[in-house]
């Protein structure tokens, strides 16, 4: 069980919400009417973006008869970019169907691996509990790469127990091996996590993070554009695909079946309130498409209610990528 007493804590990270896969659009002037209406051709980068144009049938009709054929032809050109789907709006709408108890908070971030589209709901900081164990092992693997060495047999034993069984003693040993919070924070700067800060002393479970940062971490574990080598990624992915049976819950509930996931969960009863932090991160497959999902929660009255919440939030979040119709 993930249980840590809350002593002093480091300052919370800033709660900035970095833009994920921000669509940038540039425009190229391709023509103008005699009336002075400028027509634009969209050039979208990193995904489709809605481009506004003054072009209209009425504007074309009002062009001067003396306009050159070339100008008239250009005036009929329609914008080439299709309006993008607002996934953040769809995600927020989907989450309205999930009941959340008073005093409970939740946040989620999702990436469609195939399309590169992402969405996030909430930017608050949460205790990691045991999902930080993925981060600890990623930091250890990065440090090993830097010194051109393999993990030792003992480190591998700790890593297996830490990820597959969520063993806390193994996590504490590897937390010390990476240099505790300083080692984690240093690795995370390279991974691109901007709002995650390691817990004080041995309190790795009180590391602070956001759903967006956890999505960034998952991209390091499962994506090709990563500071981790292919060998390191495959090793960590393999462990996340062998979670022991009684811990196979969370984001995996949104997958097609029990075999289409790789995950790590975290659960922590806070000694000061008796309320539960319950989190889940991982990669799942739905209808043949791969998604990275990070769902965080706190203020749950019981662990079971926290598990039910993160599963419901994960399922609702995936629906935002399966329904492209907005009211």
């Amino acid at each position: 069980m993930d249980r840590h007493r809350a002593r002093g804590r480091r300052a919370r990270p800033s709660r900035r919400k970095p833009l994920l896969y921000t669509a940038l659009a540039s425009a190229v002037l391709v023509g103008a009417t005699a009336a002075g209406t400028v027509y634009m051709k969209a050039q979208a980068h990193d995904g489709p973006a809605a481009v506004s144009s003054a072009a209209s049938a009425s504007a074309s009709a009002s062009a001067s008869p003396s306009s050159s054929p070339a100008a008239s032809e250009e005036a009929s050109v329609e914008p080439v970019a299709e309006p993008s789907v607002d996934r953040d709006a769809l995600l927020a709408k989907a989450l309205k169907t999930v009941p959340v108890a008073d005093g409970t908070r939740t946040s989620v971030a999702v990436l469609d691996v195939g399309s590169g589209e992402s969405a996030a709901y909430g930017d608050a900081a949460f205790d990691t509990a045991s999902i930080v164990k993925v981060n600890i092992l990623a930091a250890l693997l990065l440090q090993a790469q830097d010194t051109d060495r393999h993990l030792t047999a003992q480190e591998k034993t700790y890593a297996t127990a830490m990820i597959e069984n969520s063993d806390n003693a193994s996590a504490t040993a590897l937390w010390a091996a990476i240099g505790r919070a300083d080692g984690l924070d240093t690795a995370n700067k390279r991974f691109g996590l901007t709002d995650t800060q390691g817990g004080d002393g041995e309190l790795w479970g009180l590391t602070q993070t956001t759903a967006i940062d956890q999505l960034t971490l998952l991209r390091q574990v499962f994506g090709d554009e990563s500071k981790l080598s292919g060998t390191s990624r495959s090793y960590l992915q393999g462990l996340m695909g062998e979670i022991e049976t009684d811990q196979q819950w969370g984001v995996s509930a949104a997958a097609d079946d029990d075999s289409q996931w790789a995950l790590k969960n975290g659960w922590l009863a806070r000694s000061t309130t008796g309320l539960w932090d319950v989190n889940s991160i991982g990669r799942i497959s739905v209808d043949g498409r791969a998604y990275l999902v990070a769902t965080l929660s706190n203020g749950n009255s019981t662990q079971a209610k926290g598990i039910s919440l993160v599963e419901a939030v994960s399922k609702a979040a995936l629906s935002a990528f399966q329904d492209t119709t907005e009211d």
Side-chain angles (χ1 to χ4, degrees):
M1 175 176 290
D2 294 10
R3 196 180 288 269
H4 300 273
R5 295 186 62 82
R7 298 197 290 271
R9 77 165 51 177
R10 296 156 66 91
R12 277 180 179 263
S14 62
R15 297 182 180 180
R16 295 178 291 105
K17 181 178 181 182
L19 297 177
L20 292 177
Y21 296 92
T22 304
L24 303 176
S26 60
V28 178
L29 175 64
V30 296
T33 67
T37 303
V38 177
Y39 293 83
M40 313 296 284
K41 175 183 285 186
Q43 294 181 318
H45 304 277
D46 290 331
V51 176
S52 175
S53 172
S56 65
S58 61
S60 297
S62 65
S64 168
S66 63
S67 300
S68 69
S72 298
E73 180 180 350
E74 291 294 339
S76 67
V77 174
E78 295 295 329
V80 299
E82 295 294 329
S84 63
V85 176
D86 188 343
R87 297 293 177 187
D88 283 338
L90 286 175
L91 177 57
K93 178 182 176 181
L95 291 182
K96 289 181 180 179
T97 66
V98 179
V100 180
D102 290 342
T104 300
R105 294 190 308 163
T106 188
S107 181
V108 62
V110 184
L111 169 70
D112 181 331
V113 175
S115 70
E117 287 187 287
S118 64
Y121 176 86
D123 61 358
F126 291 75
D127 301 324
T128 57
S130 276
I131 61 171
V132 76
K133 292 169 181 174
V134 173
N135 204 169
I136 292 172
L137 183 51
L140 179 67
L141 290 167
L142 185 64
Q143 291 178 356
Q145 288 176 201
D146 289 344
T147 56
D148 195 26
R149 73 173 183 86
H150 298 291
L151 297 189
T152 66
Q154 183 62 74
E155 287 172 334
K156 289 182 177 180
T157 297
Y158 285 144
T160 299
M162 178 177 71
I163 301 297
E164 294 184 4
N165 310 116
S166 204
D167 182 70
N168 290 340
S170 295
T172 299
L174 294 185
W175 177 249
I178 66 169
R180 296 182 176 177
D182 288 341
L184 189 80
D185 295 346
T186 297
N188 283 344
K189 287 181 182 179
R190 295 171 61 185
F191 289 147
L193 279 66
T194 59
D195 288 302
T196 298
Q197 188 171 19
D200 286 334
E202 294 189 356
L203 298 179
W204 42 262
L206 294 186
T207 294
Q208 296 288 286
T209 195
T210 64
I212 292 172
D213 259 15
Q214 288 303 297
L215 190 62
T216 299
L217 177 63
L218 290 172
R219 291 181 62 211
Q220 290 292 314
V221 175
F222 293 96
D224 293 333
E225 295 182 3
S226 172
K227 298 298 183 182
L228 296 175
S229 68
T231 300
S232 293
R233 296 197 305 273
S234 294
Y235 176 65
L236 187 41
Q237 291 169 21
L239 295 178
M240 293 176 69
E242 296 293 336
I243 300 300
E244 68 178 40
T245 304
D246 65 353
Q247 295 177 26
Q248 294 176 12
W249 47 263
V251 297
S252 58
D256 282 335
D257 58 57
D258 290 342
S259 64
Q260 300 298 312
W261 53 260
L263 64 88
K264 183 70 192 81
N265 297 322
W267 58 100
L268 169 64
R270 295 306 305 271
S271 59
T272 53
T273 63
L275 300 177
W276 287 79
D277 300 326
V278 179
N279 307 318
S280 185
I281 62 173
R283 182 183 188 274
I284 63 175
S285 178
V286 181
D287 295 332
R289 299 185 67 85
Y291 298 89
L292 303 181
V293 187
T295 305
L296 312 179
S297 74
N298 63 20
N300 299 285
S301 59
T302 66
Q303 180 186 5
K305 288 183 178 180
I307 291 173
S308 294
L309 176 62
V310 298
E311 291 186 340
V313 168
S314 298
K315 291 176 181 178
L318 265 294
S319 73
F321 287 81
Q322 297 165 332
D323 179 11
T324 58
T325 302
E326 296 183 82
D327 292 337

